[in-house]
Amino acid sequence: MRPPTVSTKLAQIAKQSRENPKMVFTTLAHLMDVEFLMVAFRSLRKDAAVGIDKVTVAAYAANLEENLWELYQKLKTNRYRAQMVRRVWIDKADGSKRPLGILVLEDKIVQKAVSMILGAVYEPMFYDFSYGFRPGRSPHQALSKLREECCTKNIGWIVDADISGFFDSIDHNHLRTIIKRRVNDGALLRLIGKWLNVGVLEEGRITYNETGTPQGGVISPILANIFLHSILDNWFEQTARPRLLGKCFIVRFADDFVLGFEHQTDAERVYEAIQRRFKLFGLTIHPTKSKIIQFTNPFRNKGNNPETFDFLGFTHYWSKTRQGGWAIKRKTRKKSLNRAMRSIWVWCKYNRHKLIREQYQKLRIKLLGHYQYFGIRGNYKMLEVIFEHTEKTWKKWLGRRTRNGSISWEKFEKKYRTLFLLPKPRITRS
């Protein structure tokens, strides 16, 4: 009889979790054999940045079976040690920066293996309104669900909440307690503890964090979902919802979530309760980025224009249709548009001396990627803005290659646009 494959093992765990909601799993670490680690390795991004050991995916794959066997032996004999995380900072849309942790390859492999096991246990438990970092789910599904809930449940009030520094604020003790309710495997808990407490290397200085998970860590998304499933999702469904007067909903994508309510009093009560509950677990609702807004259909609201709110890169607003009715529409959020425009500007500036065809291919990929995400019905004008900006920016920096420092639109049309036509805006999602 052939031994079970990795997918079979995970399916068996998921089945047990689904059929026994109160079951506590105590023996899972033994599943991480060489075959399991191989599957974890193959699911990693091949172009990810290297950690402090400078080991690339290609170099590791040259002797893959030997390397994975040695890694397996380290895990089996408790010789595995998590290595320091290299921290870099990346720009955010509001001008601030957020930290990103870059792990060594073997830590990524083991973290991926553990996240596969945790996913099998917790996926059957997660609610349908949770969309972030889950297989078969996407931001656009969350956006569609949000619009559907607003239209079908007579929603008039929105709680737009923002968690301050969520990934940096997760309390390790609370997280460990939450996981142990469902997964009380000592080996897995020790591995998670090593990753949570590992040192962070930044500009030659090592620091140790008492809270938070490393942003960029492979294990971080599933840990975040487990944490918020316990303190937010379960609480909303089992405690808050039964006490409300009217209809309501929640849509969550990782730490970004929106709550909708039929009545203003329900929105105010839940907003205050969430702040108190989050405080118990070491989290804070951002005082200026979070708010309660009225989002009533203008027809029912006697023509008064409702407020708008942002979710997953889009601004949501009520607008008239061609038939004269009212509908919820979405357009690219201003900060998201500015970030995309700045990214194109910076790229053209610092890559203007590359071959024209190479520049064209890169800009083409950038535009198509933007259309793929933001190309939803009703957002065409915002796509035109990014297209026109890209053409103008490319023309400007190509002009810097000439003796005069600029080129006319006529010359740009004749020399570049006819041969290297950038993709026009297109709606990719209805």
Side-chain angles (χ1 to χ4, degrees):
M1 184 176 179
R2 296 179 60 185
T5 62
V6 171
S7 59
T8 302
K9 293 176 183 177
L10 295 175
Q12 289 172 347
I13 296 172
K15 182 180 179 182
Q16 287 179 304
S17 179
R18 189 180 304 108
E19 294 177 351
N20 303 280
K22 295 184 179 180
M23 178 180 178
V24 179
F25 294 83
T26 57
T27 55
L28 294 172
H30 70 280
L31 298 174
M32 293 191 296
D33 54 16
V34 175
E35 182 188 8
F36 205 98
L37 296 174
M38 178 75 75
V39 173
F41 170 80
R42 287 174 176 167
S43 63
L44 295 175
R45 284 182 54 190
K46 303 301 184 287
D47 60 344
V50 297
I52 61 173
D53 62 354
K54 305 297 182 183
V55 176
T56 64
V57 171
Y60 198 84
N63 295 295
L64 184 58
E65 292 186 5
E66 294 178 14
N67 289 329
L68 291 179
W69 174 258
E70 177 61 27
L71 178 58
Y72 167 66
Q73 292 298 321
K74 290 179 184 177
L75 291 168
K76 188 176 179 180
T77 58
N78 202 28
R79 291 184 292 114
Y80 167 80
R81 297 290 181 270
Q83 297 192 47
M84 285 185 294
V85 176
R86 180 165 65 91
R87 174 180 285 171
V88 297
W89 294 83
I90 59 177
D91 295 328
K92 294 178 64 176
D94 58 4
S96 62
K97 294 180 179 293
R98 71 177 179 90
L100 181 65
I102 301 176
L103 285 66
V104 301
L105 183 58
E106 286 200 336
D107 285 348
K108 293 178 184 178
I109 296 171
V110 183
Q111 285 195 18
K112 181 61 180 179
V114 173
S115 68
M116 288 161 58
I117 294 174
L118 293 178
V121 173
Y122 282 95
E123 269 298 318
M125 300 173 56
F126 290 156
Y127 292 99
D128 286 340
F129 56 72
S130 171
Y131 290 89
F133 308 119
R134 295 183 60 191
R137 289 171 173 256
S138 69
H140 290 94
Q141 290 176 336
L143 291 166
S144 296
K145 185 64 174 178
L146 171 61
R147 187 174 184 273
E148 176 189 340
E149 295 280 51
C150 286
C151 293
T152 59
K153 291 189 174 179
N154 199 29
I155 297 300
W157 298 86
I158 292 289
V159 172
D160 182 13
D162 182 273
I163 306 175
S164 299
F166 170 70
F167 283 93
D168 294 328
S169 304
I170 296 177
D171 184 275
H172 294 173
N173 292 327
H174 286 310
L175 177 61
R176 191 176 296 109
T177 300
I178 290 170
I179 294 175
K180 287 174 70 175
R181 294 173 189 163
R182 201 75 165 108
V183 177
N184 197 13
D185 184 312
L188 289 186
L189 292 174
R190 282 192 296 271
L191 286 174
I192 294 172
K194 290 176 181 179
W195 299 323
L196 292 178
N197 297 299
V198 73
V200 178
L201 179 65
E202 181 181 358
E203 297 181 350
R205 187 166 54 92
I206 303 173
T207 57
Y208 295 89
N209 299 322
E210 296 181 358
T211 61
T213 63
Q215 293 198 44
V218 181
I219 196 71
S220 293
I222 186 66
L223 295 182
N225 270 337
I226 292 171
F227 196 72
L228 284 176
H229 170 79
S230 176
I231 71 169
L232 175 62
D233 300 354
N234 259 341
W235 170 82
F236 183 80
E237 284 295 296
Q238 299 178 13
T239 304
R241 186 190 291 272
R243 301 179 182 181
L244 301 180
L245 300 175
K247 297 177 182 178
C248 62
F249 74 85
I250 176 173
V251 174
R252 181 171 69 82
F253 193 95
D255 62 323
D256 196 357
F257 64 95
V258 170
L259 300 161
F261 302 91
E262 186 177 6
H263 302 306
Q264 181 179 2
T265 53
D266 286 343
E268 293 171 346
R269 288 174 57 198
V270 171
Y271 185 53
E272 293 177 2
I274 283 180
Q275 295 182 73
R276 293 194 300 268
R277 180 165 177 80
F278 276 19
K279 190 175 182 180
L280 294 175
F281 292 91
L283 299 180
T284 305
I285 295 294
H286 199 288
T288 58
K289 294 182 179 180
S290 304
K291 57 187 176 181
I292 300 176
I293 67 166
Q294 187 174 11
F295 199 66
T296 311
N297 186 324
F299 179 78
R300 291 189 286 107
N301 200 30
K302 299 180 181 179
N304 295 327
N305 290 327
E307 299 176 76
T308 66
F309 67 94
D310 297 331
F311 184 61
L312 298 181
F314 290 91
T315 296
H316 300 252
Y317 64 100
W318 282 97
S319 178
K320 276 205 168 185
T321 65
R322 293 179 179 179
Q323 292 73 29
W326 290 94
I328 297 174
K329 296 186 178 182
R330 296 154 295 179
K331 62 182 179 180
T332 308
R333 184 182 63 161
K334 186 176 180 180
K335 288 182 179 179
S336 300
L337 181 65
N338 290 340
R339 179 172 54 191
M341 293 170 67
R342 174 168 174 75
S343 173
I344 289 172
W345 175 274
V346 171
W347 191 91
C348 288
K349 177 180 179 181
Y350 290 105
N351 294 274
R352 63 184 183 273
H353 297 300
K354 290 186 176 181
L355 295 174
I356 301 299
R357 180 170 295 279
E358 186 177 346
Q359 292 186 49
Y360 164 73
Q361 292 293 350
K362 186 65 175 180
L363 290 174
R364 182 175 180 276
I365 291 172
K366 285 180 176 290
L367 282 176
L368 290 177
H370 188 88
Y371 300 158
Q372 185 64 28
Y373 186 81
F374 290 101
I376 64 174
R377 188 172 56 187
N379 196 37
Y380 189 83
K381 289 184 178 179
M382 302 302 283
L383 300 184
E384 286 184 319
V385 171
I386 195 72
F387 171 78
E388 293 170 0
H389 170 81
T390 303
E391 273 207 328
K392 291 178 181 177
T393 300
W394 196 26
K395 170 184 171 294
K396 173 183 175 63
W397 290 110
L398 286 178
R400 294 297 179 92
R401 294 162 47 125
T402 65
R403 183 175 301 176
N404 296 330
S406 64
I407 56 176
S408 65
W409 277 109
E410 182 181 0
K411 185 176 180 180
F412 180 76
E413 172 78 34
K414 183 178 180 181
K415 189 174 181 180
Y416 299 108
R417 187 186 274 172
T418 54
L419 296 176
F420 305 102
L421 182 64
L422 293 172
K424 296 285 184 69
R426 62 187 68 173
I427 299 300
T428 57
R429 301 176 185 275
S430 62

